[in-house]
């Protein structure tokens, strides 16, 4: 299984970058030129080259702003997310250097150098497609992995105060790369922008305080904001989007003033990892893995560490991630058409179809149920009867939706 993304200047055909994940061989310049030439030949005849099938995969072409052509190559069953991946890569390029630079490409060599800063985030995106090495912070392309903890509401109040002190509007707190709490205004951001900010925080190099200029692809594609990331504790980061002021040295002082009394609160929230669900929510032993999606906020919570004293001999933790992710992407996601994103980055679709679905195999069973804006997917042992599986998922979803310890 492998995936590769190639960016090419549409007019000249000059490669801008190529990144890959998996066992795919590096592609030579002549092959890149041929792939781009196929697309240009089609355009000369008033045709659009959308995709083509390989023996064990597919190739997809997408042109953006009449300046950049992205070519995606996927093999081994990763094709289903390829179009969404290219949309995110295009938005990532804007996120890093701005829409004007992408549209004009006046100095191609400079653009190529500037886009190197997006490689760590791009690698996270590619990792989300590789079930053999799924990143804990990017298991899904279009969802933000989160931790549900009772402390989230109190942490939101601290975040609001912090954002106000640094004259910012959007702030979020991450633990081990998972979103824990957000400021009140955070969901004004487009879902793609929120995901890219999450990946920016996840790709930090451990610096205690760092600022990065970012362009918000929908809200501000041509004027950069500052994304200031601060390390509060080990594996705990807070990110805020603000303007040119205050200076980084002043923000350092504000961080100390705003967060010094919240250390114990953060430590309590850290105890939720890697279970990711409040301790008050209990899981039956036959549930091997659980995924819940907040459709409206595009956040998801996944756990394979449901039972502290129980270890499954039938499958590894990585295998549980793989099969539960496959079930969601190929089947359960159909229960949430609102999660689909159009080429222009806008959300599309509305829910009017079925509210549950399930799979059964020799080795395990899956069940998904949607109630309102919550979609739950559960992985079960193969001995669980189908009617029992349905009952347990419904009960657990009801418990999560009514729990006072759950705050999105």
């Amino acid at each position: 299984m492998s995936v590769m993304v190639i960016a090419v200047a549409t007019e000249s055909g000059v490669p801008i970058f190529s990144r890959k994940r998996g066992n795919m061989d590096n592609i030579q310049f002549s092959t890149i030129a041929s792939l781009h030439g196929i697309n240009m030949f089609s355009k000369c005849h008033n045709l659009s080259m959308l995709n083509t099938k390989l023996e064990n995969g597919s190739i997809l072409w997408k042109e953006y702003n009449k300046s950049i052509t992205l070519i995606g190559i996927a093999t081994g069953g990763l094709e289903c997310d390829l179009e969404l991946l290219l949309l995110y890569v295009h938005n990532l390029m804007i996120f890093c250097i701005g829409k004007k630079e992408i549209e004009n490409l006046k100095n191609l060599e400079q653009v190529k150098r500037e886009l190197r800063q997006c490689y760590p985030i791009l690698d996270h995106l590619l990792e989300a497609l590789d079930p053999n090495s799924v990143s804990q912070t990017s298991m899904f392309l279009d969802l933000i992995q989160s931790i549900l903890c009772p402390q989230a509401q109190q942490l939101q109040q601290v975040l609001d105060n912090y954002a106000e002190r640094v004259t910012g509007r959007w702030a979020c707190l991450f633990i081990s790369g998972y979103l824990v709490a957000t400021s009140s205004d955070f969901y004004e951001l487009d879902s793609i922008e929120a995901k890219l900010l999450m990946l920016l925080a996840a790709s930090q190099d451990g610096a205690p305080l760092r600022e990065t200029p970012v362009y918000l692809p929908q809200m501000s594609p041509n004027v950069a904001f500052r994304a200031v990331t601060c390390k509060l504790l080990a594996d705990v980061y807070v990110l805020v989007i603000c303007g040119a002021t205050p200076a980084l040295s002043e923000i350092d002082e504000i961080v100390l003033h705003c967060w010094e009394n919240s250390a114990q609160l953060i430590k309590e929230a850290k105890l939720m990892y890697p279970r990711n669900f409040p301790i008050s929510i209990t899981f039956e032993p036959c549930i091997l893995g659980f995924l819940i999606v907040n459709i409206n906020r595009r956040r998801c919570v996944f756990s394979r560490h449901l039972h502290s004293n129980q270890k499954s001999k039938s499958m590894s933790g990585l295998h549980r991630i793989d099969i539960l992710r496959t079930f969601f992407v190929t089947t359960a996601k159909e229960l949430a058409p609102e999660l689909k994103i159009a080429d222009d980055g806008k959300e599309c679709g509305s829910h009017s179809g079925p509210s549950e679905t399930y799979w059964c195999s020799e080795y395990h069973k899956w069940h998904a149920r949607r109630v309102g804006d919550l979609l739950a997917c559960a992985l079960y042992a193969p001995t669980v009867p189908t009617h029992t599986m349905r009952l347990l998922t419904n009960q657990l979803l009801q418990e999560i939706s009514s729990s006072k310890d759950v705050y999105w």
Side-chain angles (χ1 to χ4, degrees):
M1 296 183 180
S2 56
V3 61
M4 175 179 285
V5 173
I6 303 168
V8 179
T10 299
E11 291 188 0
S12 64
V14 175
I16 298 174
F17 65 76
S18 67
R19 305 294 288 181
K20 70 171 185 175
R21 183 80 190 184
N23 55 7
M24 186 182 297
D25 294 332
N26 291 323
I27 293 184
Q28 302 297 322
F29 176 81
S30 58
T31 305
I32 296 176
S34 298
L35 290 171
H36 182 61
I38 293 171
N39 185 48
M40 296 303 292
F41 178 81
S42 301
K43 288 178 63 178
C44 290
H45 291 79
N46 296 320
L47 299 172
S48 296
M49 188 67 183
L50 300 178
N51 60 70
T52 188
K53 297 295 182 182
L54 304 174
E55 182 179 354
N56 188 32
S58 63
I59 303 175
L60 181 68
W61 287 262
K62 280 287 183 180
E63 184 179 326
Y64 296 96
N65 306 120
K66 299 182 179 180
S67 60
I68 297 288
T69 298
L70 296 179
I71 304 171
I73 306 171
T75 63
L78 304 181
E79 305 91 308
C80 59
D81 284 329
L82 196 52
E83 187 169 355
L84 182 60
L85 173 65
L86 295 189
L87 175 63
Y88 267 84
V89 172
H90 171 244
N91 279 274
L92 174 59
M93 295 169 71
I94 296 175
F95 182 77
C96 290
I97 67 173
K99 190 174 182 179
K100 287 182 180 178
E101 292 288 338
I102 298 298
E103 289 178 337
N104 297 329
L105 294 182
K106 291 181 179 179
N107 189 334
L108 190 55
E109 290 303 315
Q110 180 180 343
V111 169
K112 290 167 68 174
R113 288 194 299 270
E114 291 177 347
L115 282 174
R116 289 174 186 169
Q117 63 183 299
C118 78
Y119 290 172
I121 299 178
L122 179 52
D123 290 341
H124 273 281
L125 288 172
L126 296 180
E127 216 171 346
L129 283 166
D130 187 354
N132 295 317
S133 56
V134 172
S135 169
Q136 288 294 302
T137 56
S138 57
M139 193 170 94
F140 301 103
L141 282 174
D142 51 347
L143 298 174
I144 299 176
Q145 284 191 238
S146 308
I147 294 175
L148 294 179
C149 63
Q151 298 79 17
Q153 192 166 10
Q154 293 171 274
L155 290 170
Q156 178 185 319
Q157 297 172 1
V158 182
L159 278 168
D160 284 336
N161 179 47
Y162 173 58
E164 183 179 356
R165 292 286 301 276
V166 298
T167 63
R169 291 177 60 188
W170 310 291
C172 46
L173 179 73
F174 297 91
I175 294 177
S176 299
Y178 290 73
L179 183 64
V180 174
T182 67
S183 61
S184 302
D185 297 333
F186 186 78
Y187 291 101
E188 293 177 356
L189 297 173
D190 179 80
S191 60
I192 294 179
E193 295 169 342
K195 176 69 173 184
L196 293 176
L197 289 172
M198 175 262 189
L199 292 175
L200 175 65
S203 62
Q204 297 298 306
D205 55 6
L209 190 62
R210 179 177 175 179
E211 61 178 354
T212 308
V214 298
Y215 299 83
L216 301 177
Q218 299 297 326
M219 189 170 291
S220 180
N222 296 314
V223 179
F225 286 92
R226 277 198 310 166
V228 179
T229 308
C230 177
K231 184 177 181 179
L232 301 179
L233 296 173
D235 298 322
V236 180
Y237 291 87
V238 60
L239 181 146
V240 63
I241 302 297
C242 56
T245 57
L248 204 59
S249 57
E250 294 180 43
I251 293 180
D252 195 14
E253 296 177 2
I254 294 172
V255 166
L256 181 61
H257 185 268
C258 289
W259 292 96
E260 62 179 349
N261 296 325
S262 302
Q264 185 59 36
L265 199 63
I266 295 172
K267 290 177 182 178
E268 292 172 2
K270 285 187 69 176
L271 296 176
M272 297 298 104
Y273 177 83
R275 190 177 192 267
N276 302 334
F277 287 92
I279 301 299
S280 59
I281 296 176
T282 58
F283 296 85
E284 293 294 329
C286 59
I287 302 179
L288 305 179
F290 195 76
L291 168 72
I292 184 165
V293 180
N294 186 315
I295 298 168
N296 184 44
R297 297 198 165 181
R298 289 184 173 267
R299 290 177 62 178
C300 70
V301 183
F302 171 81
S303 182
R304 65 176 190 268
H305 303 273
L306 305 177
H307 317 288
S308 57
N309 297 323
Q310 179 181 4
K311 293 185 178 179
S312 173
K313 298 180 180 179
S314 60
M315 66 183 76
S316 67
L318 190 61
H319 185 41
R320 294 188 209 181
I321 293 177
D322 182 13
I323 58 179
L324 194 53
R325 178 192 181 278
T326 301
F327 172 61
F328 174 76
V329 171
T330 60
T331 303
K333 202 171 183 179
E334 295 301 317
L335 303 181
E338 302 97 315
L339 294 178
K340 295 180 181 178
I341 302 177
D343 286 343
D344 58 1
K346 302 296 184 182
E347 300 172 10
C348 57
S350 59
H351 181 236
S352 58
S355 60
E356 61 183 311
T357 185
Y358 68 93
W359 278 3
C360 295
S361 76
E362 182 180 354
Y363 302 104
H364 17 68
K365 295 181 178 181
W366 307 259
H367 182 256
R369 167 78 173 173
R370 174 174 179 170
V371 176
D373 283 329
L374 295 183
L375 171 62
C377 303
L379 173 65
Y380 289 91
T383 55
V384 180
T386 301
H387 65 277
T388 303
M389 179 174 67
R390 183 185 187 194
L391 175 64
L392 292 177
T393 304
N394 289 345
Q395 288 178 344
L396 192 52
L397 185 57
Q398 178 62 33
E399 184 178 354
I400 290 173
S401 61
S402 60
S403 173
K404 294 181 180 180
D405 290 337
V406 171
Y407 184 81
W408 295 92

